[in-house]
Amino acid sequence: MDNVTEKLIQDACDEACSGTAADISSVKAKLVDDSDASEIADLFKTLGDPTRVKMIHALSQSELCVHDLTQVLDMGQSAVSHQLRFLRNNRIVKRRKVGKTVFYSLDDSHVEQIFVQTLEHLKHH
């Protein structure tokens, strides 16, 4: 038996399984709706880029301007600006303008919590 077949067998209920004692109707009633599920998936897609992950980590440590981020990430200004615009459009970061300088920070504490908890989860293994 190959590994794929073994995995399928391990992840399936026994033919005689009649379910658990869980209240399926209650679980189903509380299940996230399609719209929220789509938004959550989009958030994880947004976070699913290593450059953006590094950018979020840098901004979790300090508010930074575009120039600061180019130095921290060893990237060009146009690439940094492109990623910041993407993150801003997805409500991950916010900006604050002082004169001609634009400072970026995480949009809210939830973004930082998601990042920190994900990092802790990865280090847990």
Side-chain angles (χ1 to χ4, degrees):
M1 189 178 317
D2 64 18
N3 287 342
V4 174
T5 305
E6 279 185 43
K7 179 78 173 143
L8 289 172
I9 291 171
Q10 290 172 356
D11 290 340
C13 283
D14 187 297
E15 287 181 26
C17 178
S18 60
T20 64
D23 183 355
I24 299 301
S25 60
S26 174
V27 171
K28 192 171 183 175
K30 295 175 185 173
L31 192 64
V32 63
D33 67 28
D34 290 347
S35 175
D36 287 344
S38 180
E39 284 189 49
I40 290 168
D42 287 344
L43 170 66
F44 282 106
K45 286 178 195 172
T46 300
L47 300 175
D49 176 86
T51 299
R52 291 192 289 265
V53 168
K54 288 179 179 180
M55 201 170 274
I56 291 165
H57 189 229
L59 293 171
S60 73
Q61 298 173 60
S62 178
E63 179 182 63
L64 300 168
C65 70
V66 174
H67 180 266
D68 294 339
L69 285 164
T70 65
Q71 300 299 303
V72 168
L73 300 170
D74 294 321
M75 291 174 60
Q77 184 172 338
S78 64
V80 168
S81 294
H82 171 76
Q83 294 295 347
L84 286 169
R85 187 169 30 269
F86 186 84
L87 290 171
R88 197 177 76 245
N89 289 341
N90 286 284
R91 298 184 351 242
I92 303 297
V93 301
K94 60 185 176 186
R95 66 182 183 173
R96 176 178 68 87
K97 196 168 183 176
V98 178
K100 292 185 178 185
T101 304
V102 181
F103 294 93
Y104 285 86
S105 60
L106 297 182
D107 190 62
D108 60 34
S109 65
H110 297 114
V111 174
E112 184 175 3
Q113 290 170 14
I114 290 168
F115 185 84
V116 168
Q117 289 183 355
T118 302
L119 198 54
E120 287 175 1
H121 171 72
L122 293 174
K123 290 182 178 186
H124 176 73
H125 293 281

